[in-house]
Amino acid sequence: MATARRAETRWTGRLGLIAVSPRTLTEYLRALDRERLARVLELRPDLCFPRPGDLVELATRATTSTSVGRALESLNAYQRVVTEAIAALPTPTSVADVGALLGGAPTEVADAVAALRERALLWGPDDSLNLVRAVREAFEPYPGGLAPPSFRALTDGQIADRIAACDDSVRPVLDRLAWSPTGAVRNATRQVQPEHARSPIEQLLAQGLIRPLDADTVILPREVALYVRGGRFSPDPVPASAPAVSGTDRTASLVDRAAAGAAFALLHDLELTVHALEKAPHRLLRAGGLGTRDIAALGRALDSTAAHAGFVLECASAAGLVAPGSNLCLLPTAAFDRWLTHDAAVRWRIVADAWMRVDRLPSRASEPGAHVLGPEADARGAADVRADVLRIAATAGTARVLDLEQLTSSLAWHRPRVIRGHGPEAATLVDWVWREATWLGVVSLGCLSSFGPALLDPAAPEVTTPLPPELADLFPAPVEQIIIQTDLTAVAPGPLPHRISRDLRLLADQESRGGAGVFRFSPASLRRGFDTGWSAAEIHAWLEQHSQTGVPQPLRYLVDDVARQFGSIRLGGAASYLRSDDPAQTAALLAHPEAAYLGLREIAPGVLVSNADTYEVVSVLRAAGLNPAVEDETGRTLSAPPQLRAPAPLVEQRPRPPRPGEVADALVRRSPDGGGPARTGPSTDRIVADLRRALDVQASVDLTYTDADGFPTRIEFTPVSVQDGVVSGVGTRNRKVLGFPLGRIVRVDAPDPDGPDGLDHVSHPAGAG
């Protein structure tokens, strides 16, 4: 505790006097050095964004009920009961008083108090503890189920004598009120003499063992409740350390090899799932998520269960490999194409990191009434619970078959409030996380594999840390040759590189899943190659290059037969068309320098088609000095081309919040008089001005705001009104009416000043630099 005392000591004034006990939380924060201040911000990351301008603002934000509530949820069971005991005692209190109320060892209580002090939930030395007001309010009105003591508190002897003066019928009433101090009665304020008391309530009122709170409510005083409880603060003793988790050991190398197999199988399933979406996009439901029938079909395609298929899709979404398109169909993203270029170990790490950090419960999406990728699986704090389960298992040891009941008890101690709101029980959460970790390869043969501790290594969200070489080498090495057989099948003796597997899936249908797959060539599968521009000679060359055994004659004949039939009927697509009665003008258009850019081609005399949209063709023609007329789909002339609309973003971007160390460095660079560098972020007036400019010209802006958990979220937003401290408008992607308090808006990105919107600057985030 000497370290804590030194950290609370600071120089004040010009004389260098030492103030041992801070009077406020702000003074306590000012006394912290850089390392301890960074520790506060690390344990309470919501305080980092928006970046606080000074320690006064940091202290103000740290005492809000929202931030305090998140900090309380991170406490383990013993830290929480110590916090509640401090809230039940008068301010200031001491470690000794808390220990006396809880009946715990002084060192255990002192360690819990130090953890609360690290989180800035209280301040002061061990003999003068001051709880943050919002923390005390979180346990009101009766912390620990204890009401205030009587005006003249009764001693234990007096309580015993007065209970003895009553009959046995009062004991059940006392037992019921012992842990919930209030009860509803009739005429609680009536005066009853002991000799006239008949009912249990009348006897207790007459003896002063309960007192009226109002006309219909009685309350059990604190000293009586503690006497009835036998001096206990909680119904069951709360251990100061987590319950032990044990199990039987397995061979570590066997567990890791099996885990690598499961990890590679997941990558294969994920790739097949995304390719299935690419071939037949699945439309999202209006309420969000995919339909049960679509998930069942994916499960059959993977030769697995619907729950496993849903988990694969949830992982793909968390890693940004799939996203909803403009038509609400789930489609692959550009990130999926980049993901495919990595080796298996890197691809697995990207997916596993996304699973670790997503605040969703994928297994809940497979429960009855829920939908994969739907809102039912959203759960604030799910990532923390997932990390806690793996951390507890890692503490028990890898390659050890753990008792899930013990693991559940340990999780319940570490996270007494595991999921915010009405979430599942701890046992259900452990079952879900353990099953998902098994699919992912983090758990194998009932044990935590070596992949688990690798995931728990701290890393920034935007950094993908490579796996240790001994784990990366467990993934099977890719092969570049296939075995083509006379029955029009091809066998891949191992995992294929993406460029080869992509071409093989284009030319053949996969019949078996896994690293060594079987593919079958058919007229329909070969036609896919011709549809994408392959020629017969190119298909023959590809087969010759990648076949270990040469190309059988039946497959050669099949390729040539499909090639002869392909293209007898031709069709194509065009974004716009042009009609002209002047052949000279048509020829001039085809010879125009912009014809290649527009993709102009003549499909009939006087009829041209273009790959460009109508508005682009009109702009080019007008720049060339022509005056084209625009037609709608019925041939009717329009007065102006259709208005250009920017596509909505597929996903809302979340900017990276500042790191705790960066914020701590900025806060400690203060002058002695409390000054320091000015905040670099925009003022509220500047943000309001940006929004009003966008409102005047009906333009959309990129708005960054602080969400309910204190983390930055960015959306494209069209403001409709700015009044009463709230900006209201419509989200570009979901077209929902949204409202944001101005105090939560930290950045407004306006379009370029030379653009059509007329906005003249771009705001920057507070504290950015």
Side-chain angles (χ1 to χ4, degrees), residues 25-36:
L25 181 63
T26 303
E27 288 188 2
Y28 167 72
L29 293 175
R30 283 174 177 166
L32 299 181
D33 56 18
R34 187 264 182 197
E35 287 71 22
R36 294 196 66 191

Side-chain angles (χ1 to χ4, degrees), residues 349 353 357 455-465 659:
R349 184 64 192 250
D353 282 345
R357 291 173 176 145
L455 280 183
L456 294 173
D457 289 340
E462 70 277 6
V463 177
T464 300
T465 306
R659 293 190 177 96

Side-chain angles (χ1 to χ4, degrees), residues 277-314:
L277 296 177
E278 192 174 21
K279 292 179 182 177
H282 292 57
R283 185 176 295 276
L284 297 174
L285 301 175
R286 182 175 300 178
L290 287 177
T292 305
R293 183 177 299 177
D294 292 335
I295 298 301
L298 286 176
R300 290 191 297 270
L302 298 179
D303 193 20
S304 182
T305 63
H308 177 260
F311 173 72
V312 172
L313 203 52
E314 288 276 353

Side-chain angles (χ1 to χ4, degrees), residues 361 363-364 367 424 427-437:
L361 295 173
S363 292
R364 177 188 273 176
E367 294 294 302
T428 303
L429 282 174
V430 170
D431 289 340
W432 286 353
V433 173
W434 206 249
R435 181 178 65 173
E436 294 169 8

Side-chain angles (χ1 to χ4, degrees), residues 326-337:
S326 57
N327 57 353
L328 293 182
C329 286
L330 205 61
L331 297 171
T333 64
F336 174 71
D337 299 323

Side-chain angles (χ1 to χ4, degrees), residues 80-90 93 98 101-102 143-144 222 233:
R80 188 173 181 86
V81 76
V82 168
T83 308
E84 192 167 5
I86 297 174
L89 294 170
T93 188
V98 177
L101 180 60
L102 292 177
R222 173 172 302 192
F233 182 73

Side-chain angles (χ1 to χ4, degrees), residues 67-292:
S67 179
V68 165
R70 284 192 292 270
L72 291 176
E73 288 178 353
S74 68
L75 300 179
N76 61 43
Y78 190 71
Q79 293 167 353
R80 188 173 181 86
V81 76
V82 168
T83 308
E84 192 167 5
I86 297 174
L89 294 170
T91 301
T93 188
S94 65
V95 170
D97 292 339
V98 177
L101 180 60
L102 292 177
T107 55
E108 296 173 345
V109 176
D111 290 342
V113 167
L116 300 178
R117 197 181 284 118
E118 275 190 323
R119 291 168 170 79
L121 296 176
L122 58 76
W123 75 92
D126 287 350
D127 58 356
S128 181
L129 300 176
N130 295 270
L131 204 61
V132 171
R133 180 180 300 177
V135 178
R136 188 176 297 276
E137 292 173 350
F139 295 100
E140 288 181 350
Y142 307 117
L146 293 175
S150 303
F151 180 72
R152 292 182 178 179
L154 302 174
T155 64
D156 288 350
Q158 292 174 325
I159 296 173
D161 293 340
R162 297 191 181 193
I163 292 178
C166 303
D167 58 37
D168 294 339
S169 63
V170 304
R171 191 67 195 192
V173 177
L174 290 175
D175 291 339
R176 185 173 62 85
L177 295 176
W179 302 101
S180 180
T182 61
V185 299
R186 293 181 179 178
N187 301 323
T189 56
R190 63 187 181 277
Q191 298 294 327
V192 181
Q193 298 300 320
E195 59 272 15
H196 298 138
R198 296 291 181 268
S199 68
I201 295 296
E202 290 177 347
Q203 295 181 62
L204 293 173
L205 285 171
Q207 294 294 338
L209 295 174
I210 62 174
R211 64 174 185 265
L213 190 63
D214 54 41
D216 299 314
T217 310
V218 294
I219 192 169
L220 187 69
R222 173 172 302 192
E223 71 274 13
V224 181
L226 288 174
Y227 178 86
V228 175
R229 295 179 180 185
R232 293 175 298 164
F233 182 73
S234 54
D236 298 313
V238 179
S241 58
V245 180
S246 61
T248 58
D249 292 335
R250 288 184 181 271
T251 304
S253 59
L254 176 63
V255 172
D256 289 343
R257 288 197 301 271
F264 187 80
L266 180 81
L267 297 180
H268 186 264
D269 290 342
L270 195 151
E271 191 173 345
L272 287 181
T273 298
V274 178
H275 281 304
L277 296 177
E278 192 174 21
K279 292 179 182 177
H282 292 57
R283 185 176 295 276
L284 297 174
L285 301 175
R286 182 175 300 178
L290 287 177
T292 305

Side-chain angles (χ1 to χ4, degrees), residues 176-547:
R176 185 173 62 85
L177 295 176
W179 302 101
S180 180
T182 61
V185 299
R186 293 181 179 178
N187 301 323
T189 56
R190 63 187 181 277
Q191 298 294 327
V192 181
Q193 298 300 320
E195 59 272 15
H196 298 138
R198 296 291 181 268
S199 68
I201 295 296
E202 290 177 347
Q203 295 181 62
L204 293 173
L205 285 171
Q207 294 294 338
L209 295 174
I210 62 174
R211 64 174 185 265
L213 190 63
D214 54 41
D216 299 314
T217 310
V218 294
I219 192 169
L220 187 69
R222 173 172 302 192
E223 71 274 13
V224 181
L226 288 174
Y227 178 86
V228 175
R229 295 179 180 185
R232 293 175 298 164
F233 182 73
S234 54
D236 298 313
V238 179
S241 58
V245 180
S246 61
T248 58
D249 292 335
R250 288 184 181 271
T251 304
S253 59
L254 176 63
V255 172
D256 289 343
R257 288 197 301 271
F264 187 80
L266 180 81
L267 297 180
H268 186 264
D269 290 342
L270 195 151
E271 191 173 345
L272 287 181
T273 298
V274 178
H275 281 304
L277 296 177
E278 192 174 21
K279 292 179 182 177
H282 292 57
R283 185 176 295 276
L284 297 174
L285 301 175
R286 182 175 300 178
L290 287 177
T292 305
R293 183 177 299 177
D294 292 335
I295 298 301
L298 286 176
R300 290 191 297 270
L302 298 179
D303 193 20
S304 182
T305 63
H308 177 260
F311 173 72
V312 172
L313 203 52
E314 288 276 353
C315 287
S317 176
L321 307 182
V322 297
S326 57
N327 57 353
L328 293 182
C329 286
L330 205 61
L331 297 171
T333 64
F336 174 71
D337 299 323
R338 294 191 296 269
W339 179 78
L340 288 172
T341 61
H342 299 295
D343 57 32
V346 175
R347 281 185 284 140
W348 180 86
R349 184 64 192 250
I350 292 173
V351 174
D353 282 345
W355 173 73
M356 284 291 295
R357 291 173 176 145
V358 68
D359 268 340
R360 288 177 60 84
L361 295 173
S363 292
R364 177 188 273 176
S366 300
E367 294 294 302
H371 298 91
V372 174
L373 301 182
E376 300 88 357
D378 290 335
R380 294 291 186 183
D384 295 332
V385 173
R386 195 175 294 119
D388 280 341
V389 172
L390 297 187
R391 194 172 291 112
I392 296 168
T395 302
T398 57
R400 177 169 293 177
V401 181
L402 300 180
D403 186 336
L404 292 189
E405 291 185 1
Q406 295 179 351
L407 188 60
T408 300
S409 300
S410 185
L411 176 65
W413 184 87
H414 281 91
R415 291 274 174 179
R417 291 175 171 258
V418 285
I419 290 293
R420 186 178 307 172
H422 302 286
E425 298 292 335
T428 303
L429 282 174
V430 170
D431 289 340
W432 286 353
V433 173
W434 206 249
R435 181 178 65 173
E436 294 169 8
T438 302
W439 286 334
L440 202 60
V442 178
V443 172
S444 180
L445 304 179
C447 311
L448 183 71
S449 69
S450 299
F451 290 91
L455 280 183
L456 294 173
D457 289 340
E462 70 277 6
V463 177
T464 300
T465 306
L467 287 175
E470 60 273 14
L471 295 181
D473 292 341
L474 293 177
F475 286 91
V479 297
E480 297 195 359
Q481 296 292 313
I482 60 177
I483 301 172
I484 302 180
Q485 304 178 104
T486 56
D487 61 351
L488 300 180
T489 60
V491 178
L496 298 171
H498 166 65
R499 57 183 176 81
I500 298 178
S501 64
R502 175 194 58 199
D503 294 341
L504 185 57
R505 288 196 186 97
L506 177 67
L507 300 176
D509 297 316
Q510 187 167 3
E511 291 189 339
S512 69
R513 58 192 295 270
V518 177
F519 301 81
R520 179 172 295 278
F521 296 94
S522 66
S525 66
L526 291 172
R527 194 174 299 116
R528 291 198 301 265
F530 288 107
D531 287 339
T532 56
W534 288 50
S535 65
E538 289 174 330
I539 294 178
H540 284 305
W542 189 93
L543 295 174
E544 290 284 356
Q545 179 184 358
H546 296 97
S547 174

